[in-house]
Short mmCIF file of all heavy atoms in Angstrom, two decimals:
data_model
loop_
_atom_site.label_atom_id
_atom_site.label_comp_id
_atom_site.label_asym_id
_atom_site.label_seq_id
_atom_site.Cartn_x
_atom_site.Cartn_y
_atom_site.Cartn_z
N GLY M 23 -2.52 -67.16 49.65
CA GLY M 23 -2.75 -65.73 49.82
C GLY M 23 -3.78 -65.38 50.88
O GLY M 23 -4.29 -64.26 50.89
N TRP M 24 -4.06 -66.31 51.81
CA TRP M 24 -5.07 -66.05 52.83
C TRP M 24 -4.50 -65.28 54.01
O TRP M 24 -5.24 -64.61 54.72
CB TRP M 24 -5.66 -67.37 53.34
CG TRP M 24 -6.40 -68.15 52.30
CD1 TRP M 24 -6.73 -67.74 51.03
CD2 TRP M 24 -6.89 -69.48 52.43
NE1 TRP M 24 -7.39 -68.74 50.38
CE2 TRP M 24 -7.51 -69.82 51.21
CE3 TRP M 24 -6.88 -70.43 53.45
CZ2 TRP M 24 -8.11 -71.07 50.99
CZ3 TRP M 24 -7.45 -71.66 53.23
CH2 TRP M 24 -8.08 -71.97 52.02
N ASN M 25 -3.22 -65.44 54.26
CA ASN M 25 -2.60 -64.82 55.44
C ASN M 25 -1.62 -63.74 54.98
O ASN M 25 -0.52 -64.03 54.51
CB ASN M 25 -1.86 -65.87 56.27
CG ASN M 25 -1.37 -65.32 57.60
OD1 ASN M 25 -1.22 -64.12 57.78
ND2 ASN M 25 -1.10 -66.21 58.54
N ARG M 26 -2.04 -62.50 55.14
CA ARG M 26 -1.17 -61.37 54.82
C ARG M 26 -0.84 -60.58 56.09
O ARG M 26 -0.33 -59.47 56.02
CB ARG M 26 -1.85 -60.46 53.79
CG ARG M 26 -2.20 -61.19 52.51
CD ARG M 26 -2.76 -60.25 51.44
NE ARG M 26 -3.19 -60.99 50.27
CZ ARG M 26 -2.40 -61.42 49.30
NH1 ARG M 26 -1.09 -61.18 49.37
NH2 ARG M 26 -2.87 -62.08 48.26
N ALA M 27 -1.13 -61.19 57.24
CA ALA M 27 -0.96 -60.50 58.53
C ALA M 27 0.27 -60.96 59.29
O ALA M 27 0.92 -60.16 59.97
CB ALA M 27 -2.21 -60.70 59.39
N THR M 28 0.59 -62.25 59.24
CA THR M 28 1.69 -62.78 60.06
C THR M 28 2.75 -63.41 59.17
O THR M 28 2.43 -64.16 58.24
CB THR M 28 1.17 -63.84 61.05
OG1 THR M 28 0.52 -64.90 60.34
CG2 THR M 28 0.17 -63.23 62.02
N PRO M 29 4.03 -63.16 59.43
CA PRO M 29 5.10 -63.75 58.62
C PRO M 29 5.23 -65.24 58.87
O PRO M 29 4.85 -65.73 59.94
CB PRO M 29 6.35 -63.00 59.08
CG PRO M 29 6.03 -62.55 60.47
CD PRO M 29 4.56 -62.27 60.48
N GLN M 30 5.77 -65.95 57.90
CA GLN M 30 5.95 -67.40 58.02
C GLN M 30 7.41 -67.73 58.29
O GLN M 30 8.31 -67.15 57.69
CB GLN M 30 5.51 -68.09 56.73
CG GLN M 30 5.56 -69.62 56.81
CD GLN M 30 5.46 -70.28 55.44
OE1 GLN M 30 5.91 -69.73 54.45
NE2 GLN M 30 4.88 -71.47 55.40
N ARG M 31 7.64 -68.66 59.22
CA ARG M 31 8.98 -69.15 59.51
C ARG M 31 9.11 -70.52 58.86
O ARG M 31 8.28 -71.40 59.07
CB ARG M 31 9.20 -69.26 61.02
CG ARG M 31 8.91 -67.97 61.80
CD ARG M 31 10.09 -67.05 61.82
NE ARG M 31 11.07 -67.53 62.78
CZ ARG M 31 11.06 -67.19 64.08
NH1 ARG M 31 10.13 -66.36 64.55
NH2 ARG M 31 11.99 -67.63 64.89
N ARG M 32 10.17 -70.73 58.09
CA ARG M 32 10.44 -72.02 57.46
C ARG M 32 11.75 -72.56 58.00
O ARG M 32 12.77 -71.88 57.95
CB ARG M 32 10.50 -71.85 55.93
CG ARG M 32 9.15 -71.48 55.34
CD ARG M 32 9.24 -71.16 53.86
NE ARG M 32 9.98 -69.93 53.61
CZ ARG M 32 10.71 -69.70 52.52
NH1 ARG M 32 10.81 -70.64 51.58
NH2 ARG M 32 11.34 -68.55 52.36
N ILE M 33 11.69 -73.78 58.55
CA ILE M 33 12.80 -74.30 59.35
C ILE M 33 13.24 -75.66 58.81
O ILE M 33 12.42 -76.53 58.52
CB ILE M 33 12.37 -74.45 60.82
CG1 ILE M 33 11.91 -73.09 61.38
CG2 ILE M 33 13.51 -75.03 61.66
CD1 ILE M 33 11.12 -73.20 62.66
N VAL M 34 14.57 -75.83 58.70
CA VAL M 34 15.17 -77.12 58.38
C VAL M 34 15.89 -77.61 59.63
O VAL M 34 16.77 -76.92 60.16
CB VAL M 34 16.16 -77.01 57.21
CG1 VAL M 34 16.82 -78.36 56.95
CG2 VAL M 34 15.45 -76.51 55.95
N LEU M 35 15.52 -78.79 60.11
CA LEU M 35 16.16 -79.39 61.27
C LEU M 35 17.35 -80.22 60.80
O LEU M 35 17.17 -81.20 60.06
CB LEU M 35 15.16 -80.27 62.03
CG LEU M 35 15.65 -80.94 63.30
CD1 LEU M 35 16.00 -79.90 64.37
CD2 LEU M 35 14.61 -81.92 63.84
N ASP M 36 18.55 -79.84 61.21
CA ASP M 36 19.77 -80.46 60.70
C ASP M 36 20.82 -80.51 61.80
O ASP M 36 21.68 -79.65 61.90
CB ASP M 36 20.28 -79.65 59.49
CG ASP M 36 21.54 -80.24 58.88
OD1 ASP M 36 21.81 -81.43 59.10
OD2 ASP M 36 22.27 -79.48 58.21
N GLY M 37 20.72 -81.52 62.66
CA GLY M 37 21.58 -81.61 63.83
C GLY M 37 23.06 -81.57 63.51
O GLY M 37 23.85 -80.96 64.24
N ASP M 38 23.47 -82.22 62.41
CA ASP M 38 24.89 -82.31 62.06
C ASP M 38 25.36 -81.19 61.14
O ASP M 38 26.54 -81.12 60.81
CB ASP M 38 25.18 -83.66 61.39
CG ASP M 38 24.94 -84.83 62.31
OD1 ASP M 38 25.15 -84.67 63.52
OD2 ASP M 38 24.52 -85.89 61.83
N PHE M 39 24.45 -80.36 60.68
CA PHE M 39 24.75 -79.24 59.77
C PHE M 39 25.40 -79.74 58.47
O PHE M 39 26.40 -79.21 58.00
CB PHE M 39 25.63 -78.20 60.45
CG PHE M 39 25.57 -76.84 59.80
CD1 PHE M 39 24.43 -76.40 59.14
CD2 PHE M 39 26.66 -75.99 59.84
CE1 PHE M 39 24.37 -75.15 58.54
CE2 PHE M 39 26.62 -74.72 59.26
CZ PHE M 39 25.47 -74.31 58.61
N ARG M 40 24.77 -80.76 57.89
CA ARG M 40 25.26 -81.31 56.63
C ARG M 40 24.38 -80.92 55.45
O ARG M 40 24.54 -81.41 54.34
CB ARG M 40 25.33 -82.84 56.72
CG ARG M 40 26.34 -83.34 57.75
CD ARG M 40 26.34 -84.85 57.82
NE ARG M 40 27.30 -85.35 58.81
CZ ARG M 40 27.44 -86.62 59.14
NH1 ARG M 40 26.66 -87.55 58.55
NH2 ARG M 40 28.33 -86.98 60.03
N VAL M 41 23.42 -80.05 55.69
CA VAL M 41 22.45 -79.67 54.67
C VAL M 41 23.15 -79.07 53.45
O VAL M 41 24.16 -78.37 53.56
CB VAL M 41 21.43 -78.67 55.26
CG1 VAL M 41 22.08 -77.35 55.60
CG2 VAL M 41 20.26 -78.48 54.32
N ARG M 42 22.62 -79.39 52.26
CA ARG M 42 23.17 -78.86 51.02
C ARG M 42 22.85 -77.38 50.88
O ARG M 42 21.69 -76.98 51.06
CB ARG M 42 22.63 -79.61 49.81
CG ARG M 42 23.05 -81.06 49.70
CD ARG M 42 22.95 -81.53 48.26
NE ARG M 42 21.73 -81.07 47.60
CZ ARG M 42 20.62 -81.79 47.47
NH1 ARG M 42 20.57 -83.02 47.96
NH2 ARG M 42 19.55 -81.31 46.86
N GLU M 43 23.81 -76.60 50.51
CA GLU M 43 23.57 -75.17 50.34
C GLU M 43 22.75 -74.87 49.09
O GLU M 43 22.22 -73.76 48.96
CB GLU M 43 24.91 -74.43 50.26
CG GLU M 43 25.73 -74.52 51.53
CD GLU M 43 27.10 -73.88 51.37
OE1 GLU M 43 27.15 -72.72 50.93
OE2 GLU M 43 28.10 -74.55 51.68
N SER M 44 22.61 -75.85 48.21
CA SER M 44 21.89 -75.64 46.95
C SER M 44 20.40 -75.94 47.04
O SER M 44 19.70 -75.93 46.02
CB SER M 44 22.50 -76.52 45.85
OG SER M 44 22.42 -77.90 46.22
N LEU M 45 19.90 -76.19 48.25
CA LEU M 45 18.47 -76.50 48.38
C LEU M 45 17.62 -75.39 47.78
O LEU M 45 17.86 -74.20 48.05
CB LEU M 45 18.09 -76.67 49.85
CG LEU M 45 18.48 -77.95 50.57
CD1 LEU M 45 17.93 -77.92 51.99
CD2 LEU M 45 17.97 -79.17 49.84
N PRO M 46 16.59 -75.72 46.99
CA PRO M 46 15.69 -74.68 46.45
C PRO M 46 15.08 -73.81 47.55
O PRO M 46 14.85 -72.62 47.35
CB PRO M 46 14.62 -75.50 45.73
CG PRO M 46 15.29 -76.78 45.38
CD PRO M 46 16.25 -77.06 46.50
N LEU M 47 14.86 -74.40 48.71
CA LEU M 47 14.28 -73.69 49.85
C LEU M 47 15.09 -72.44 50.20
O LEU M 47 14.55 -71.42 50.61
CB LEU M 47 14.21 -74.63 51.05
CG LEU M 47 13.79 -74.09 52.41
CD1 LEU M 47 12.37 -73.57 52.35
CD2 LEU M 47 13.92 -75.16 53.47
N PHE M 48 16.42 -72.53 50.04
CA PHE M 48 17.29 -71.43 50.44
C PHE M 48 17.27 -70.27 49.45
O PHE M 48 17.84 -69.22 49.72
CB PHE M 48 18.72 -71.92 50.62
CG PHE M 48 18.89 -72.89 51.75
CD1 PHE M 48 19.89 -73.86 51.72
CD2 PHE M 48 18.05 -72.86 52.86
CE1 PHE M 48 20.06 -74.75 52.77
CE2 PHE M 48 18.20 -73.76 53.91
CZ PHE M 48 19.21 -74.71 53.87
N GLY M 49 16.60 -70.45 48.33
CA GLY M 49 16.50 -69.36 47.37
C GLY M 49 15.09 -68.84 47.21
O GLY M 49 14.78 -68.14 46.25
N ALA M 50 14.22 -69.19 48.16
CA ALA M 50 12.79 -68.86 48.03
C ALA M 50 12.35 -67.78 49.00
O ALA M 50 11.34 -67.90 49.66
CB ALA M 50 11.95 -70.12 48.24
N GLY M 51 13.13 -66.72 49.11
CA GLY M 51 12.73 -65.62 49.97
C GLY M 51 13.18 -65.79 51.40
O GLY M 51 13.89 -66.75 51.75
N GLY M 52 12.78 -64.85 52.26
CA GLY M 52 13.23 -64.83 53.65
C GLY M 52 12.45 -65.75 54.55
O GLY M 52 11.61 -66.53 54.12
N GLY M 53 12.79 -65.66 55.84
CA GLY M 53 12.10 -66.45 56.84
C GLY M 53 12.56 -67.88 56.94
O GLY M 53 11.85 -68.74 57.45
N VAL M 54 13.79 -68.19 56.42
CA VAL M 54 14.30 -69.56 56.45
C VAL M 54 15.37 -69.67 57.53
O VAL M 54 16.25 -68.82 57.65
CB VAL M 54 14.90 -69.97 55.09
CG1 VAL M 54 15.43 -71.39 55.15
CG2 VAL M 54 13.85 -69.84 53.99
N GLU M 55 15.28 -70.76 58.31
CA GLU M 55 16.26 -71.02 59.37
C GLU M 55 16.75 -72.45 59.25
O GLU M 55 16.01 -73.35 58.82
CB GLU M 55 15.63 -70.84 60.76
CG GLU M 55 15.11 -69.44 61.04
CD GLU M 55 14.46 -69.32 62.40
OE1 GLU M 55 14.51 -70.30 63.19
OE2 GLU M 55 13.88 -68.26 62.68
N VAL M 56 17.97 -72.68 59.67
CA VAL M 56 18.51 -74.02 59.84
C VAL M 56 18.80 -74.19 61.32
O VAL M 56 19.55 -73.40 61.91
CB VAL M 56 19.80 -74.24 59.01
CG1 VAL M 56 20.37 -75.63 59.30
CG2 VAL M 56 19.52 -74.08 57.53
#
């Protein structure tokens, strides 16, 4: 809770696009990219 000024980007690096759609990360709010 220290940073309320700048949004956070969360990124999964997946060259082959084989990532599981059920990852908990994908259900934890916005700012997620693959």
Side-chain angles (χ1 to χ4, degrees):
W24 297 351
N25 188 340
R26 302 185 185 278
T28 58
Q30 184 194 31
R31 306 275 283 271
R32 294 173 292 149
I33 302 164
V34 177
L35 182 65
D36 181 21
D38 296 328
F39 201 29
R40 296 178 180 175
V41 67
R42 294 203 317 263
E43 296 175 52
S44 59
L45 284 183
L47 173 64
F48 294 151
V54 180
E55 299 178 6
V56 177

